[in-house]
Amino acid sequence: MQSVNVVFHIDEMDKWSLLLANVRNLVKVVDNASSNIVVLSNAKAVLVFDDSASLTHVHLMQELSRQGVEFSVCQNSLNGVGIAIDLLPEYVKVVPVGVLSLIEKQADGFAYIKP
């Protein structure tokens, strides 16, 4: 199996199902132990952590995190919608500025995917 370095970017709530399906399909065909698969959410997509209707997504994220997927969320976006960091699931990493994190990942050779 091959290894990949990829960052999936999501900034719209209605794209979570598609993004998570893409990630789920990817982890089935790559070497997760030697891959770096990151999902970075910013803008309105961070509302997934404050929406009881999104529990299915949050449970799938938890399962994917156990398979090595990193979930990052923009602190500026959390602040903008009023979500406290301590309310996030334990597997979520907070980055100060989401767009800067995307720039850094791409500079480090990560593929960029935005569904």
Side-chain angles (χ1 to χ4, degrees):
M1 292 186 138
Q2 73 182 62
S3 299
V4 296
N5 293 315
V6 59
V7 59
F8 287 85
H9 177 209
I10 183 162
D11 59 3
E12 301 171 69
M13 279 293 291
D14 63 344
K15 298 285 181 143
W16 273 110
S17 293
L18 176 59
L19 180 135
L20 292 172
N22 288 169
V23 174
R24 185 178 50 226
N25 289 336
L26 181 64
V27 298
K28 291 177 184 177
V29 297
V30 298
D31 181 356
N32 296 323
S34 63
S35 291
N36 294 296
I37 302 170
V38 178
V39 173
L40 182 119
S41 59
N42 70 334
K44 296 296 182 186
V46 303
L47 289 169
V48 74
F49 300 108
D50 192 43
D51 178 12
S52 60
S54 297
L55 285 178
T56 302
H57 296 322
V58 173
H59 290 298
L60 180 53
M61 286 183 235
Q62 183 176 27
E63 175 60 33
L64 289 168
S65 95
R66 284 193 287 263
Q67 296 177 48
V69 177
E70 176 185 309
F71 287 88
S72 296
V73 63
C74 173
Q75 184 169 3
N76 285 336
S77 296
L78 291 174
N79 295 344
V81 297
I83 297 175
I85 293 171
D86 60 346
L87 297 178
L88 297 174
E90 71 285 346
Y91 57 86
V92 175
K93 174 184 172 186
V94 177
V95 297
V97 181
V99 293
L100 179 58
S101 181
L102 290 171
I103 291 166
E104 292 168 345
K105 294 291 185 203
Q106 290 179 73
D108 289 340
F110 278 63
Y112 174 84
I113 298 177
K114 186 172 192 290

